[in-house]
Short mmCIF file of all heavy atoms in Angstrom, two decimals:
data_model
loop_
_atom_site.label_atom_id
_atom_site.label_comp_id
_atom_site.label_asym_id
_atom_site.label_seq_id
_atom_site.Cartn_x
_atom_site.Cartn_y
_atom_site.Cartn_z
N PHE A 269 72.24 144.65 -135.73
CA PHE A 269 71.48 145.53 -134.75
C PHE A 269 71.73 145.11 -133.26
O PHE A 269 71.94 145.87 -132.48
CB PHE A 269 69.99 145.43 -135.11
CG PHE A 269 69.14 146.50 -134.49
CD1 PHE A 269 69.22 147.79 -134.91
CD2 PHE A 269 68.35 146.16 -133.43
CE1 PHE A 269 68.50 148.75 -134.20
CE2 PHE A 269 67.62 147.18 -132.72
CZ PHE A 269 67.67 148.43 -133.23
N ILE A 272 75.65 145.49 -132.23
CA ILE A 272 76.08 146.93 -132.02
C ILE A 272 75.55 147.51 -130.69
O ILE A 272 76.25 148.17 -130.00
CB ILE A 272 75.77 147.77 -133.25
CG1 ILE A 272 76.57 149.00 -133.26
CG2 ILE A 272 74.34 148.29 -133.29
CD1 ILE A 272 77.01 149.46 -134.59
N HIS A 273 74.30 147.05 -130.50
CA HIS A 273 73.70 147.54 -129.09
C HIS A 273 74.46 146.89 -127.97
O HIS A 273 74.71 147.67 -126.95
CB HIS A 273 72.17 147.21 -129.04
CG HIS A 273 71.34 148.26 -129.77
ND1 HIS A 273 71.15 148.23 -131.08
CD2 HIS A 273 70.74 149.40 -129.32
CE1 HIS A 273 70.34 149.24 -131.49
NE2 HIS A 273 70.14 150.07 -130.40
N TYR A 276 77.69 148.71 -127.46
CA TYR A 276 77.45 149.99 -126.82
C TYR A 276 77.24 149.79 -125.41
O TYR A 276 77.81 150.59 -124.57
CB TYR A 276 76.20 150.71 -127.41
CG TYR A 276 76.66 151.60 -128.56
CD1 TYR A 276 76.23 151.32 -129.82
CD2 TYR A 276 77.31 152.84 -128.24
CE1 TYR A 276 76.58 152.18 -130.91
CE2 TYR A 276 77.60 153.67 -129.25
CZ TYR A 276 77.30 153.34 -130.63
OH TYR A 276 77.59 154.22 -131.58
N GLU A 277 76.51 148.76 -124.90
CA GLU A 277 76.29 148.61 -123.55
C GLU A 277 77.57 148.31 -122.81
O GLU A 277 77.82 148.76 -121.68
CB GLU A 277 75.38 147.51 -123.27
CG GLU A 277 73.81 147.84 -123.58
CD GLU A 277 73.24 149.03 -122.67
OE1 GLU A 277 73.66 149.09 -121.47
OE2 GLU A 277 72.39 149.74 -123.15
N PHE A 280 79.34 151.55 -122.52
CA PHE A 280 78.73 152.30 -121.41
C PHE A 280 79.22 151.89 -120.13
O PHE A 280 79.48 152.71 -119.25
CB PHE A 280 77.13 152.20 -121.47
CG PHE A 280 76.39 152.71 -122.63
CD1 PHE A 280 75.11 152.39 -122.97
CD2 PHE A 280 76.98 153.85 -123.39
CE1 PHE A 280 74.44 152.88 -124.06
CE2 PHE A 280 76.29 154.30 -124.50
CZ PHE A 280 74.98 154.03 -124.74
N LEU A 320 78.43 154.49 -135.19
CA LEU A 320 77.16 154.73 -135.86
C LEU A 320 77.26 154.59 -137.26
O LEU A 320 76.25 154.18 -137.90
CB LEU A 320 76.69 156.12 -135.38
CG LEU A 320 76.22 156.23 -133.93
CD1 LEU A 320 75.80 157.66 -133.63
CD2 LEU A 320 75.02 155.28 -133.62
N LEU A 323 76.11 151.23 -138.41
CA LEU A 323 74.66 150.98 -138.52
C LEU A 323 73.93 151.78 -139.50
O LEU A 323 72.93 151.40 -140.15
CB LEU A 323 74.05 151.49 -137.03
CG LEU A 323 72.87 150.75 -136.52
CD1 LEU A 323 72.91 149.29 -136.73
CD2 LEU A 323 72.55 151.06 -135.14
N MET A 326 72.87 150.19 -142.78
CA MET A 326 71.53 149.54 -142.82
C MET A 326 70.52 150.43 -143.43
O MET A 326 70.31 151.54 -142.86
CB MET A 326 71.19 149.15 -141.44
CG MET A 326 69.92 148.30 -141.26
SD MET A 326 69.71 147.73 -139.65
CE MET A 326 69.24 149.29 -138.81
N PHE A 331 66.08 147.94 -141.97
CA PHE A 331 65.63 147.91 -140.69
C PHE A 331 64.07 147.58 -140.43
O PHE A 331 63.74 146.94 -139.50
CB PHE A 331 65.92 149.45 -140.12
CG PHE A 331 65.47 149.61 -138.68
CD1 PHE A 331 65.86 148.83 -137.68
CD2 PHE A 331 64.72 150.77 -138.33
CE1 PHE A 331 65.64 149.03 -136.35
CE2 PHE A 331 64.31 150.91 -137.04
CZ PHE A 331 64.76 150.09 -135.96
N SER A 342 63.72 149.80 -126.90
CA SER A 342 64.45 150.91 -127.45
C SER A 342 65.50 151.28 -126.57
O SER A 342 65.50 151.00 -125.30
CB SER A 342 63.40 152.01 -127.36
OG SER A 342 64.05 153.34 -127.48
N GLY A 343 66.58 151.96 -127.16
CA GLY A 343 67.69 152.48 -126.37
C GLY A 343 67.23 153.45 -125.26
O GLY A 343 67.99 153.67 -124.28
N PHE A 344 66.00 153.89 -125.43
CA PHE A 344 65.39 154.68 -124.39
C PHE A 344 65.33 153.97 -123.00
O PHE A 344 65.32 154.63 -121.92
CB PHE A 344 63.88 154.89 -124.79
CG PHE A 344 63.19 155.98 -124.35
CD1 PHE A 344 63.74 157.22 -124.34
CD2 PHE A 344 61.83 155.98 -123.85
CE1 PHE A 344 63.11 158.46 -123.83
CE2 PHE A 344 61.20 157.15 -123.38
CZ PHE A 344 61.86 158.35 -123.45
N SER A 346 67.77 151.98 -121.97
CA SER A 346 69.11 151.69 -121.50
C SER A 346 69.42 152.26 -120.13
O SER A 346 69.58 153.52 -120.07
CB SER A 346 70.11 152.14 -122.51
OG SER A 346 71.45 152.13 -121.94
N PHE A 349 72.83 154.13 -120.05
CA PHE A 349 72.89 155.43 -120.63
C PHE A 349 72.35 156.51 -119.68
O PHE A 349 72.92 157.59 -119.47
CB PHE A 349 72.01 155.47 -121.91
CG PHE A 349 72.13 156.79 -122.62
CD1 PHE A 349 73.27 157.17 -123.44
CD2 PHE A 349 71.07 157.73 -122.53
CE1 PHE A 349 73.26 158.35 -124.17
CE2 PHE A 349 71.09 158.97 -123.22
CZ PHE A 349 72.26 159.28 -123.99
N ARG A 350 71.23 156.21 -119.02
CA ARG A 350 70.73 157.06 -117.96
C ARG A 350 71.77 157.14 -116.86
O ARG A 350 71.94 158.30 -116.30
CB ARG A 350 69.32 156.57 -117.41
CG ARG A 350 68.31 156.50 -118.38
CD ARG A 350 67.76 157.80 -118.89
NE ARG A 350 66.98 157.59 -120.11
CZ ARG A 350 67.01 158.30 -121.30
NH1 ARG A 350 67.89 159.37 -121.33
NH2 ARG A 350 66.25 158.10 -122.19
N GLU A 353 74.15 159.73 -117.86
CA GLU A 353 73.59 161.12 -117.81
C GLU A 353 73.60 161.53 -116.41
O GLU A 353 73.89 162.62 -116.16
CB GLU A 353 72.11 161.09 -118.44
CG GLU A 353 72.12 160.99 -119.95
CD GLU A 353 70.70 161.27 -120.34
OE1 GLU A 353 69.65 160.81 -119.79
OE2 GLU A 353 70.57 161.90 -121.53
N TRP A 451 77.52 162.59 -129.91
CA TRP A 451 76.81 161.34 -129.98
C TRP A 451 75.27 161.52 -130.19
O TRP A 451 74.65 160.89 -130.96
CB TRP A 451 77.05 160.37 -128.75
CG TRP A 451 76.53 158.98 -128.92
CD1 TRP A 451 77.12 158.07 -129.56
CD2 TRP A 451 75.13 158.60 -128.61
NE1 TRP A 451 76.26 156.89 -129.58
CE2 TRP A 451 75.10 157.29 -129.08
CE3 TRP A 451 74.13 159.20 -128.04
CZ2 TRP A 451 73.98 156.55 -128.87
CZ3 TRP A 451 72.97 158.47 -127.79
CH2 TRP A 451 72.86 157.16 -128.30
N ARG A 452 74.80 162.46 -129.44
CA ARG A 452 73.32 162.72 -129.47
C ARG A 452 72.95 163.18 -130.90
O ARG A 452 71.97 162.70 -131.46
CB ARG A 452 72.92 163.86 -128.47
CG ARG A 452 72.94 163.38 -127.05
CD ARG A 452 72.33 164.40 -126.21
NE ARG A 452 72.65 164.44 -124.80
CZ ARG A 452 71.99 163.66 -123.86
NH1 ARG A 452 70.96 162.80 -124.29
NH2 ARG A 452 72.22 163.71 -122.55
N HIS A 455 73.35 160.22 -133.47
CA HIS A 455 72.17 159.24 -133.19
C HIS A 455 70.93 159.78 -133.73
O HIS A 455 70.22 159.12 -134.43
CB HIS A 455 72.07 158.91 -131.76
CG HIS A 455 71.01 158.01 -131.40
ND1 HIS A 455 69.83 158.60 -130.86
CD2 HIS A 455 70.77 156.69 -131.46
CE1 HIS A 455 68.92 157.59 -130.61
NE2 HIS A 455 69.50 156.40 -130.97
N MET A 458 70.92 159.62 -137.43
CA MET A 458 70.83 158.24 -137.95
C MET A 458 69.35 157.77 -137.78
O MET A 458 68.79 157.23 -138.78
CB MET A 458 71.66 157.37 -137.09
CG MET A 458 71.62 155.90 -137.53
SD MET A 458 72.44 154.80 -136.27
CE MET A 458 71.40 155.08 -134.96
N VAL A 459 68.73 158.18 -136.77
CA VAL A 459 67.33 157.79 -136.45
C VAL A 459 66.53 158.42 -137.68
O VAL A 459 65.52 157.81 -138.27
CB VAL A 459 66.88 158.31 -135.08
CG1 VAL A 459 65.35 158.14 -134.96
CG2 VAL A 459 67.61 157.44 -134.03
N THR A 462 66.79 156.80 -140.89
CA THR A 462 66.30 155.34 -140.89
C THR A 462 64.76 155.32 -140.79
O THR A 462 64.20 154.54 -141.41
CB THR A 462 67.04 154.55 -139.72
OG1 THR A 462 68.40 154.81 -139.79
CG2 THR A 462 66.73 153.02 -139.84
N ILE A 463 64.20 156.17 -139.87
CA ILE A 463 62.83 156.00 -139.67
C ILE A 463 61.97 157.30 -140.04
O ILE A 463 60.81 157.42 -139.71
CB ILE A 463 62.41 155.46 -138.24
CG1 ILE A 463 62.92 156.46 -137.15
CG2 ILE A 463 62.81 154.03 -138.08
CD1 ILE A 463 62.27 156.15 -135.77
N PRO A 467 57.14 157.65 -135.02
CA PRO A 467 57.40 157.56 -133.60
C PRO A 467 58.41 156.39 -133.27
O PRO A 467 58.58 155.50 -134.02
CB PRO A 467 56.13 157.30 -132.97
CG PRO A 467 55.16 157.06 -134.02
CD PRO A 467 55.78 157.40 -135.38
N GLY A 468 59.07 156.56 -132.08
CA GLY A 468 60.10 155.47 -131.68
C GLY A 468 59.43 154.24 -131.06
O GLY A 468 58.26 154.29 -130.60
N THR A 469 60.13 153.20 -131.04
CA THR A 469 59.55 151.97 -130.54
C THR A 469 59.41 152.14 -128.97
O THR A 469 58.62 151.58 -128.29
CB THR A 469 60.43 150.73 -130.75
OG1 THR A 469 61.83 151.02 -130.41
CG2 THR A 469 60.26 150.21 -132.18
N GLY A 470 60.20 153.11 -128.37
CA GLY A 470 60.10 153.40 -126.92
C GLY A 470 58.97 154.28 -126.50
O GLY A 470 58.81 154.57 -125.37
N GLY A 471 58.21 154.78 -127.58
CA GLY A 471 57.04 155.48 -127.23
C GLY A 471 57.17 157.04 -127.33
O GLY A 471 56.25 157.82 -127.05
N SER A 472 58.32 157.52 -127.72
CA SER A 472 58.58 158.97 -127.85
C SER A 472 58.14 159.32 -129.33
O SER A 472 57.89 158.51 -130.11
CB SER A 472 59.96 159.32 -127.60
OG SER A 472 60.86 159.13 -128.83
N SER A 473 58.18 160.63 -129.63
CA SER A 473 57.95 161.15 -130.86
C SER A 473 59.03 160.80 -131.87
O SER A 473 58.97 161.06 -133.08
CB SER A 473 57.71 162.64 -131.05
OG SER A 473 58.94 163.26 -130.45
N GLY A 474 60.18 160.19 -131.45
CA GLY A 474 61.23 159.71 -132.30
C GLY A 474 62.24 160.82 -132.59
O GLY A 474 62.71 161.40 -131.58
N ALA A 475 62.50 161.13 -133.91
CA ALA A 475 63.64 162.08 -134.24
C ALA A 475 63.34 163.48 -133.57
O ALA A 475 64.37 164.12 -133.17
CB ALA A 475 63.82 162.15 -135.66
N TYR A 477 61.83 164.14 -130.73
CA TYR A 477 62.31 164.02 -129.29
C TYR A 477 63.71 164.14 -129.22
O TYR A 477 64.34 164.92 -128.31
CB TYR A 477 61.77 162.81 -128.62
CG TYR A 477 62.52 162.33 -127.32
CD1 TYR A 477 62.40 163.04 -126.24
CD2 TYR A 477 63.50 161.26 -127.45
CE1 TYR A 477 63.12 162.67 -125.13
CE2 TYR A 477 64.18 160.85 -126.36
CZ TYR A 477 64.02 161.58 -125.12
OH TYR A 477 64.79 161.20 -124.12
N LEU A 478 64.50 163.35 -130.00
CA LEU A 478 65.91 163.33 -129.91
C LEU A 478 66.64 164.69 -130.25
O LEU A 478 67.52 165.07 -129.53
CB LEU A 478 66.52 162.19 -130.83
CG LEU A 478 66.09 160.74 -130.41
CD1 LEU A 478 66.42 159.73 -131.46
CD2 LEU A 478 66.85 160.38 -129.09
N THR A 481 67.14 166.87 -127.36
CA THR A 481 68.19 166.64 -126.42
C THR A 481 69.56 167.06 -126.94
O THR A 481 70.51 167.12 -126.16
CB THR A 481 68.19 165.13 -126.09
OG1 THR A 481 68.69 164.39 -127.24
CG2 THR A 481 66.81 164.61 -125.68
C1 HEM B 508 68.61 151.97 -136.49
C2 HEM B 508 69.10 152.18 -135.37
C3 HEM B 508 68.38 152.99 -134.33
C4 HEM B 508 67.15 153.57 -134.38
C5 HEM B 508 66.12 153.66 -135.46
C6 HEM B 508 67.03 154.20 -133.03
C7 HEM B 508 65.85 154.92 -132.76
C8 HEM B 508 65.67 155.59 -131.45
C9 HEM B 508 64.51 156.37 -131.17
C10 HEM B 508 63.42 156.70 -132.00
C11 HEM B 508 64.80 156.84 -129.88
C12 HEM B 508 63.73 157.76 -129.04
C13 HEM B 508 63.09 156.93 -128.00
C14 HEM B 508 62.07 155.97 -128.53
O1 HEM B 508 60.91 156.54 -128.65
O2 HEM B 508 62.35 154.90 -128.83
C15 HEM B 508 66.03 156.33 -129.41
C16 HEM B 508 66.57 156.60 -128.17
C17 HEM B 508 67.73 156.08 -127.80
N1 HEM B 508 68.55 155.27 -128.45
FE1 HEM B 508 68.35 154.64 -130.46
N2 HEM B 508 68.10 154.01 -132.29
C18 HEM B 508 68.96 153.20 -133.03
C19 HEM B 508 70.20 152.79 -132.63
C20 HEM B 508 70.76 153.02 -131.42
C21 HEM B 508 71.97 152.49 -130.95
C22 HEM B 508 72.99 151.65 -131.72
C23 HEM B 508 72.16 152.73 -129.60
C24 HEM B 508 73.24 152.45 -128.82
C25 HEM B 508 73.01 152.05 -127.56
C26 HEM B 508 70.84 153.66 -129.29
C27 HEM B 508 70.72 154.23 -128.01
C28 HEM B 508 69.71 154.97 -127.69
C29 HEM B 508 69.64 155.77 -126.49
C30 HEM B 508 70.54 155.63 -125.25
C31 HEM B 508 68.31 156.46 -126.59
C32 HEM B 508 67.83 157.34 -125.37
C33 HEM B 508 68.24 158.83 -125.78
C34 HEM B 508 67.62 159.84 -124.92
O3 HEM B 508 66.59 159.63 -124.27
O4 HEM B 508 68.23 160.97 -124.91
N3 HEM B 508 70.18 153.72 -130.33
N4 HEM B 508 66.54 155.57 -130.43
#
Side-chain angles (χ1 to χ4, degrees):
F269 191 76
I272 204 149
H273 279 84
Y276 267 109
E277 286 295 332
F280 289 162
L320 290 175
L323 211 44
M326 184 175 70
F331 180 51
S342 162
F344 206 45
S346 165
F349 182 79
R350 299 291 167 226
E353 287 193 321
W451 187 86
R452 289 191 197 276
H455 172 264
M458 180 191 67
V459 170
T462 310
I463 61 167
T469 46
S472 82
S473 58
Y477 156 74
L478 294 169
T481 67

